[in-house]
Structure formats: C-alpha cells, structure tokens
C-alpha cells in the first residue's frame, strides 16, 4: 500500500517545516568563511544550538497535548529527529569549499545535535515551561548520527576511495550529496581532472 509512504512523507515535510528547515540550511551555507578557515574552532555554530532548542520545545508542546496518541507522538518525534539530522546533511552538501578544519567543525556541529537530542537533555531544556512531561524516546538518534557522520568523513578520503565509497553506498544517499563529495574535494585541491572524471563516474554509478 502507498498509504504508509504518504504518511511518512507528510510527517517528514511537517517536521522539516516545524524546525524551520530552509532557514537551517541557509544558515549552514552562510557560515562560508568559517568552513573555509584554517583555525580550529572551540565550539559549534549557533544554528545547531537553535535547532536543538527548537526541537526540544516542539517535544514539550507535542507531549503536553492530548491530541496525539503515544504511538503517534513517538512516530512524530522519530521523524523530527530524522529530519534534524537530514537538514545538516543537506546543508553540509551545499558547502562549495571547505577546509580540513571546516570538516572538523561539521563533525562538532553534528555531535552537538546528537547530544542536544539526548532524551534527558531535551527534557531539561523545557522543564520550566513543561514541568510534567517525560523525556522523549531515543528514536533514531544513533542511527542518523552514524549516517551523517559517515558522509562527513568521506571528505577526508583520497580521490579513488571517494569513488569506491560512493559505488558501495550510492543507494543510501541522494545523487546531489554524492556529487558534492566530488565537487568539494576538487575545489579544495583545485584538481579539475578529478572534478570531471569524478562527476562522470558518479552519474554512471547512479544510472546503472
């Protein structure tokens, strides 16, 4: 049946909108100079703190409402957490040029999101406004952390290893995400030959 897929897509769209998905991606892109810099940052970017806070207050609002049954509440929270991680993936993939230090900062932002969505952290964030709510379920937090973290780490790979990784994992990531691994790596090394060869290889992989 197509109904479960429609429910998933509708819920995903609603959760992306509720956490201001377009604004999150825009803020990631606007960190341009930070991504390109060569100084190690000591703390994550402010956009990810805002994302954690917004997610926590959405949990407080949803869990204090009587409109959602426990299974529906758990499902919606799972999709919200999934959407938060996917927004970071989408934003990272749109950064055209990024230094090694910038990649480390991406990992730091990702870790901040992971810890910000720990059930006890979420509950503590909103306890003053929603003192009687329970912490949210663990949901898919660890699964999504591994998913986005794997993508970020590929930027460190040698050229051929990037192609090999895409060959194995292409079914798990969107074409645009895989292409960004090529274009960003090429921009950093100014290797135009890898840009042309890599993009051709990626299109071939996805069209097989």
């Amino acid at each position: 049946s197509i109904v479960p897929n429609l429910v998933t897509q509708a819920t995903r769209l609603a959760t992306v909108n509720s956490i201001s998905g377009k604004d999150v991606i825009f803020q990631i892109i606007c960190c341009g100079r930070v991504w390109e810099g060569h100084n190690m940052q000591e703390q994550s970017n402010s956009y990810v703190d805002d994302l954690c806070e917004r997610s926590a207050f959405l949990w407080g609002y949803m869990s204090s409402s009587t409109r959602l049954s426990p299974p529906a509440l758990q499902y919606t929270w799972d999709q919200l957490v999934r959407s938060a991680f996917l927004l970071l993936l989408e934003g990272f993939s749109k950064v055209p040029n990024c230094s090694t230090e910038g990649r480390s900062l991406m990992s730091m932002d990702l870790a901040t999101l992971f810890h910000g969505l720990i059930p006890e952290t979420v509950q503590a964030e909103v306890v003053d406004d929603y003192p009687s709510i329970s912490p949210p379920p663990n949901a898919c937090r660890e699964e999504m952390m591994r998913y986005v973290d794997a993508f970020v780490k590929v930027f460190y790979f040698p050229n051929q290893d990037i192609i090999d990784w895409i060959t194995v994992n292409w079914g798990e990531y969107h074409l645009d995400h895989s292409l960004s691994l090529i274009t960003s790596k090429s921009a950093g090394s100014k290797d135009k030959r890898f840009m042309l060869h890599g993009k051709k290889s990626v299109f071939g992989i996805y069209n097989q």
Side-chain angles (χ1 to χ4, degrees):
S1 173
I2 196 173
V3 174
N5 288 331
L6 288 175
V7 171
T8 298
Q9 293 303 318
T11 308
R12 183 77 55 80
L13 179 61
T15 55
V16 168
N17 288 335
S18 69
I19 54 179
S20 304
K22 289 184 178 180
D23 185 55
V24 172
I25 294 173
F26 178 73
Q27 289 184 60
I28 292 174
I29 296 172
C30 286
C31 291
R33 291 185 178 180
V34 175
W35 301 130
E36 297 173 10
H38 294 285
N39 295 321
M40 294 297 294
Q41 301 296 316
E42 296 182 357
Q43 59 185 16
S44 56
N45 287 302
S46 60
Y47 76 84
V48 74
D49 296 318
D50 294 339
L51 178 56
C52 291
E53 181 178 342
R54 194 177 304 125
S55 299
F57 274 90
L58 282 168
W59 169 255
Y61 175 77
M62 291 190 300
S63 61
S64 64
S65 171
T66 58
R67 295 183 179 182
L68 290 176
S69 65
L73 179 62
Q74 181 172 346
Y75 179 77
T76 304
W77 175 251
D78 182 88
Q79 292 300 320
L80 190 149
V81 170
R82 195 174 297 273
S83 295
F85 279 96
L86 290 176
L87 285 173
L88 261 63
L89 172 63
E90 185 68 21
F92 292 165
S93 73
K94 294 184 180 300
V95 175
N97 192 9
C98 191
S99 64
T100 299
E101 292 80 5
R103 297 297 170 203
S104 296
L105 181 57
M106 287 181 178
S107 294
M108 190 185 302
D109 287 355
L110 184 59
T112 298
L113 178 63
F114 179 79
H115 290 289
L117 295 179
I118 291 174
E120 292 74 21
T121 304
V122 172
Q123 183 184 32
E125 180 69 41
V126 296
V127 67
D128 291 339
D129 295 277
Y130 301 98
S132 62
I133 66 166
S134 301
N138 264 310
C140 56
R141 189 170 53 91
E142 294 186 2
E143 170 196 344
M144 295 307 297
M145 175 67 178
R146 290 192 298 269
Y147 178 73
V148 183
D149 185 54
F151 177 84
V152 172
K153 287 179 177 175
V154 176
F155 286 103
Y156 296 105
F157 290 5
N159 291 354
Q160 186 56 50
D161 287 352
I162 293 177
I163 300 296
D164 293 343
W165 185 89
I166 294 172
T167 301
V168 173
N169 295 280
W170 70 274
E172 303 296 323
Y173 296 84
H174 193 276
L175 171 62
D176 288 345
H177 298 156
S178 293
L179 285 173
S180 75
L181 295 171
I182 303 298
T183 56
S184 183
K185 179 77 171 186
S186 302
S189 63
K190 299 181 180 180
D191 187 346
K192 293 184 178 180
R193 187 183 338 186
F194 177 65
M195 169 84 79
L196 296 174
H197 169 71
K199 291 177 70 173
K200 182 178 179 180
S201 297
V202 170
F203 279 116
I205 292 168
Y206 275 80
N207 290 328
Q208 62 185 351

